[in-house]
Amino acid sequence: MSTSALTHRVRVLAAPGDRHEEILTPAALDFVGHLAAAFGERRLDVLRERRRQAIRLAAGSPLDFRLTTSAIRADRSWRVAAPAPGLTDRRVEITGPPDRRMTVNALNSGAHVWMADFEDATSPTWEHIVGGQLNLLDAIERRIDFTTEAGKEYRLGDRLATVMVRPRGWHLDEEHLEFDGRPVPASLVDFGLYFFHCAQRRIDAGHGPYFYLPKLENRGEARLWNDVFVLAQELLGIPRGTVRATVLIETITAAVEMEEILYELREHSAGLNAGRWNYLFSLIKTFGHRTDFLLPDRAKVTMTAPFLRAYTELLVRTCHRRGAHAIGGMAAQVPGTDRAAHEAAPATVRLDKEREAEDGFDGSWVAHPGLVPVCREVFDGVLGDRPHQIERTRDDVEVTAAERAGGSTPTTGAEGPRSAAGPRDPRGCCGTGCGAEGGRTELLRTPSRGRPGRS
């Protein structure tokens, strides 16, 4: 790694843990330090702009497509980069935290892609953050196999899912690492440690360093990530354009800048994902104070609601006209223990995935290995031997900004299965950050959606 000398170094403020020295090497910490030095102040600018935007919207400013970027939207000539190795066919993706058991199960699940989640599905204890990095490194080195005390074996198979890593969002700090007297941005820690240790290994294995980017609110945040990718590749001597990233469109402000986000990331873009649950939360957070705005009861709203249909159909049209994959949202259902619940989950997921495949999505998410066959069967029925349906440009879709923010029912109920005022699940504080509850995968780490589990 050819870099200039750092004036300040990254300091580890946590006690050493088992094998932590394999991840927190001096060279890896220097790499993270270079990212923090280059982008730490710009990241603070991003957070300040978020606050300014929130104030403008709270004061009644309309949220609409930006006039200043109309030329980007009107120019039909630009496209994102071609799909990278391992990301051409994404009809089934599985998500989950990078703990040791989930790493093996997800890679073996039969899904085309595994999103290793350092964000919503991981409680950000230092042990989980460093341990997750170790598991990703061990997986690519094929030394992750283990046997539990009960005698159950976990072994990697021959056909493994492509790995995409979701770092934490721009708004979070990593309190266990300090640079220049400040905590290092958590997003740069998760990205930087994985990229330093695994990027070249992934390339050598025939894929590459691929990512999911959460909680973006505008094109400026996408531009910041693109610049991070450019510098990271330069520092490690990796060809520019090797990185790929899919952006989760899970904020109402990002939903009016989808084309601009693709444009900013176009040399590194791997499309967009419909982050449905956080999109609902963002809608409520942004407009919940407005007396002229009626919000839906989240316990009753499904993805067939007109304003959610508008958002997802426009996402498909936006991606496909730019040559990008459109990935559907999470099916949170998990097979239950009793027969009725075990049969209900696949049936519910099937209906959800049939709608997405028919709408033009190129693939979708599931939360449990047992639901991978259901999702694959649905998309097989629509795609056949094709790896995607990007050629289906959905020119029939016309959506206004207002249509994506519409609601017709007051918010009078708490979202099941837990009350918004219910107790914090201890798994969200000290466990993996997710667990099965009420037949669904519940993300338990933060209370931003009116219940534990969403940041």
Side-chain angles (χ1 to χ4, degrees), residues 71-83 226 244 258-271 316-325 388 390-395:
I72 293 175
R73 297 191 300 274
D75 182 356
R76 298 297 295 268
S77 66
W78 65 267
R79 296 288 186 274
V80 304
N226 194 73
R244 288 292 189 276
M258 288 192 285
E259 286 197 83
E260 292 88 339
I261 287 170
L262 286 176
Y263 182 81
E264 296 292 351
L265 281 161
R266 60 194 181 279
E267 63 181 322
H268 298 112
S269 178
V316 172
R317 191 196 76 172
T318 299
C319 286
H320 287 183
R321 69 161 48 179
R322 302 304 180 182
H325 282 75
H388 50 69
I390 291 176
E391 76 285 351
R392 188 181 171 200
T393 55
R394 291 304 308 271
D395 293 329

Side-chain angles (χ1 to χ4, degrees), residues 20 32 68 90 107 138 149 196 207 225 351 387 407 451:
H20 283 199
V32 172
T68 54
R90 300 173 60 182
L107 290 172
D138 284 348
E149 293 181 359
F196 181 84
H207 289 164
W225 267 119
L351 288 174
R451 64 171 185 175

Side-chain angles (χ1 to χ4, degrees), residues 95-99 101-102 117-125 128-129 166 277 330 418 424-437 440-447 449 451-455:
T95 74
D99 63 71
R101 180 181 62 84
M102 183 65 189
D117 189 10
F118 283 94
E119 199 221 8
D120 279 347
T122 294
S123 180
T125 66
H128 289 150
I129 296 303
R166 178 163 70 170
W277 295 342
M330 167 71 79
R418 81 173 57 243
R424 176 75 63 88
D425 192 302
R427 289 172 294 180
C429 302
C430 55
T432 60
C434 64
E437 182 175 317
R440 296 168 59 91
T441 293
E442 292 296 323
L443 303 181
L444 308 160
R445 187 170 60 78
T446 58
R449 284 203 312 141
R451 64 171 185 175
R454 287 289 169 181
S455 58

Side-chain angles (χ1 to χ4, degrees), residues 130-157:
V130 181
Q133 296 284 350
L134 276 166
N135 291 332
L136 294 173
L137 179 58
D138 284 348
I140 196 167
E141 294 290 337
R142 297 194 70 93
R143 62 191 185 203
I144 197 171
D145 297 354
F146 70 101
T147 303
T148 67
E149 293 181 359
K152 184 173 182 179
E153 293 186 348
Y154 289 84
R155 301 283 184 269
L156 288 180

Side-chain angles (χ1 to χ4, degrees), residues 40-358:
E41 194 59 40
R42 280 183 60 188
R43 175 255 188 172
L44 294 177
D45 289 341
V46 157
L47 298 183
R48 285 189 281 266
E49 175 55 29
R50 285 186 180 185
R51 289 190 288 271
R52 287 191 291 266
Q53 173 77 317
I55 291 170
R56 290 193 292 267
L57 293 173
S61 294
L63 182 64
D64 207 339
F65 302 105
R66 290 180 179 266
L67 291 176
T68 54
T69 56
S70 59
I72 293 175
R73 297 191 300 274
D75 182 356
R76 298 297 295 268
S77 66
W78 65 267
R79 296 288 186 274
V80 304
L87 293 180
T88 301
D89 190 334
R90 300 173 60 182
R91 68 188 67 197
V92 188
E93 301 191 354
I94 190 169
T95 74
D99 63 71
R100 206 161 190 83
R101 180 181 62 84
M102 183 65 189
T103 298
V104 176
N105 284 344
L107 290 172
N108 287 339
S109 67
H112 293 71
V113 170
W114 170 43
M115 188 195 76
D117 189 10
F118 283 94
E119 199 221 8
D120 279 347
T122 294
S123 180
T125 66
W126 188 233
E127 185 60 37
H128 289 150
I129 296 303
V130 181
Q133 296 284 350
L134 276 166
N135 291 332
L136 294 173
L137 179 58
D138 284 348
I140 196 167
E141 294 290 337
R142 297 194 70 93
R143 62 191 185 203
I144 197 171
D145 297 354
F146 70 101
T147 303
T148 67
E149 293 181 359
K152 184 173 182 179
E153 293 186 348
Y154 289 84
R155 301 283 184 269
L156 288 180
D158 295 327
R159 299 185 63 183
L160 305 179
T162 299
V163 175
M164 299 184 76
V165 170
R166 178 163 70 170
R168 286 167 286 176
W170 284 125
H171 59 296
L172 297 173
D173 290 319
E174 177 46 73
E175 300 288 347
H176 298 93
L177 291 182
E178 182 182 83
F179 179 78
D180 197 15
R182 297 177 179 175
V184 179
S187 50
L188 297 181
V189 173
D190 299 341
F191 166 82
L193 291 176
Y194 176 74
F195 193 88
F196 181 84
H197 289 291
C198 296
Q200 189 60 55
R201 288 178 166 92
R202 290 289 173 201
I203 295 167
D204 295 343
H207 289 164
Y210 305 147
F211 299 91
Y212 260 99
L213 304 180
K215 307 296 189 291
L216 269 64
E217 297 197 8
N218 56 61
R219 71 191 187 282
E221 299 182 20
R223 184 186 309 130
L224 176 55
W225 267 119
N226 194 73
D227 291 345
V228 171
F229 298 156
V230 170
L231 179 60
Q233 290 165 128
E234 178 185 330
L235 291 175
L236 296 190
I238 290 171
R240 180 166 171 162
T242 301
V243 170
R244 288 292 189 276
T246 297
V247 173
L248 289 117
I249 300 300
E250 51 189 347
T251 63
I252 185 66
T253 51
V256 296
E257 297 192 41
M258 288 192 285
E259 286 197 83
E260 292 88 339
I261 287 170
L262 286 176
Y263 182 81
E264 296 292 351
L265 281 161
R266 60 194 181 279
E267 63 181 322
H268 298 112
S269 178
L272 305 176
N273 173 283
R276 56 176 70 172
W277 295 342
N278 281 312
Y279 186 81
L280 267 177
F281 160 65
S282 173
L283 199 68
I284 293 166
K285 179 182 178 182
T286 303
F287 297 119
H289 64 284
R290 298 245 306 250
T291 57
D292 62 336
F293 197 90
L294 289 176
L295 298 171
D297 185 327
R298 290 175 295 162
K300 298 178 181 178
V301 169
T302 69
M303 292 305 293
T304 60
F307 73 100
L308 290 176
R309 292 279 289 165
Y311 143 70
T312 55
E313 289 189 320
L314 185 60
L315 187 149
V316 172
R317 191 196 76 172
T318 299
C319 286
H320 287 183
R321 69 161 48 179
R322 302 304 180 182
H325 282 75
I327 306 300
M330 167 71 79
Q333 290 77 14
V334 296
T337 54
D338 62 272
R339 181 175 179 179
H342 191 76
E343 294 175 352
T348 302
V349 170
R350 181 178 296 277
L351 288 174
D352 184 55
K353 302 311 168 191
E354 286 175 347
R355 174 189 51 77
E356 289 180 326
E358 291 165 2

Side-chain angles (χ1 to χ4, degrees), residues 6 8-10 27-39 179 184 188 235:
L6 286 172
H8 304 278
R9 301 182 70 87
V10 172
L29 293 175
D30 278 355
F31 180 75
V32 172
H34 277 88
L35 298 180
F39 302 111
F179 179 78
V184 179
L188 297 181
L235 291 175

